[in-house]
């Protein structure tokens, strides 16, 4: 008997780079690059005379992504939820503001290469963030501590790569 072992072939799997760890969540390089592109395009579309230097803009985008992650974690811990009815109403309002029915709005999104499901997720996230921000303006509350680690990016001039941040949490 002769046994011939088949050679094992290792599969190469591309791993996405992580640019920041925010407590129990991460910010992926693709999210960061996508958001940076969106912000840059919006500024160009608005014909901003004095664009900030790319390094400053990049840092601001990363800071914003990290803050959003922290606020979403605060919302989750506080049990903040956006119902499907609230979400549908908000998207219906968006469609109406564009002079479209919901079906026309969906079709318009898809014709621009955008996903309706992705839009729903984005709007739900933005509504959740608004609720957290409104709650934070309401006064004193519990304090939540989050661990933020950035990889290859300096968050701000007076912030190391591994810092603890304290945020007031006043969502009841």
């Amino acid at each position: 008997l002769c046994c011939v072992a088949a050679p094992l072939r290792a599969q190469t799997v591309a791993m996405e780079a992580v640019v920041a760890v925010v407590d129990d969540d991460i910010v992926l390089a693709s999210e960061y690059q996508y958001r940076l592109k969106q912000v840059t395009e919006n500024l160009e579309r608005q014909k901003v005379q004095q664009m900030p230097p790319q390094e400053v803009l990049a840092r601001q985008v990363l800071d914003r992504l990290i803050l959003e992650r922290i606020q979403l974690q605060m919302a989750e811990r506080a049990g903040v939820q956006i119902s499907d009815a609230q979400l549908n109403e908000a998207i219906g309002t968006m469609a109406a503001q564009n002079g479209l029915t919901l079906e026309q709005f969906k079709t318009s999104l898809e014709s621009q290469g955008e996903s309706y499901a992705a839009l729903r997720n984005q709007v739900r996230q933005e509504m959740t963030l608004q609720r957290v921000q409104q709650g934070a303006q309401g006064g004193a509350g519990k304090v939540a501590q989050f661990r933020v680690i950035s990889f290859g990016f300096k968050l701000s001039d007076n912030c190391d790569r591994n810092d603890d941040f304290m945020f007031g949490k006043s969502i009841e």
Side-chain angles (χ1 to χ4, degrees):
L1 274 180
C2 180
C3 292
V4 178
L8 295 176
R9 292 188 182 151
Q11 280 189 328
T12 303
V13 178
M15 297 290 290
E16 174 129 23
V18 173
V19 294
V21 176
V22 183
D23 208 20
D24 61 354
D25 201 357
I26 59 174
V27 177
L28 297 173
S30 62
E31 294 174 86
Y32 167 72
Q33 292 297 332
Y34 179 75
R35 183 69 67 88
L36 184 58
K37 181 180 177 214
Q38 279 184 317
V39 168
T40 302
E41 288 173 355
N42 286 342
L43 290 172
E44 289 170 352
R45 216 179 358 261
Q46 295 171 6
K47 296 182 171 60
V48 173
Q49 296 283 328
Q50 186 91 18
M51 290 277 283
Q54 189 65 24
E55 179 181 300
V56 171
L57 190 59
R59 185 176 59 237
Q60 290 173 345
V61 167
L62 182 59
D63 287 348
R64 179 68 188 167
L65 284 168
I66 290 169
L67 180 60
E68 286 175 7
R69 288 299 199 289
I70 290 170
Q71 290 174 334
L72 289 170
Q73 288 178 35
M74 289 171 61
E76 184 178 335
R77 291 174 185 172
V80 173
Q81 294 183 346
I82 305 300
S83 70
D84 284 340
Q86 292 168 318
L87 183 59
N88 291 339
E89 182 180 342
I91 293 174
T93 300
M94 290 172 62
Q97 288 173 341
N98 286 293
L100 303 171
T101 66
L102 186 56
E103 285 305 314
Q104 291 170 327
F105 188 63
K106 288 179 186 178
T107 303
S108 175
L109 281 172
E110 291 168 2
S111 71
Q112 296 172 26
E114 300 293 329
S115 159
Y116 180 69
L119 174 76
R120 284 183 63 83
N121 288 335
Q122 180 182 357
V123 171
R124 186 182 303 270
Q125 180 175 316
E126 288 172 8
M127 291 175 73
T128 302
L129 291 171
Q130 279 181 334
R131 214 167 272 167
V132 169
Q133 291 162 359
Q134 289 168 350
Q137 294 170 359
K142 300 173 189 170
V143 174
Q145 184 171 2
F146 293 86
R147 182 87 174 145
V148 176
I149 304 170
S150 69
F151 300 98
F153 295 93
K154 191 170 182 182
L155 299 178
S156 65
D157 291 336
N158 42 350
C159 184
D160 290 333
R161 289 173 56 150
N162 300 317
D163 280 325
D164 290 324
F165 292 89
M166 302 291 281
F167 288 89
K169 175 169 135 182
S170 57
I171 302 170
E172 304 299 329

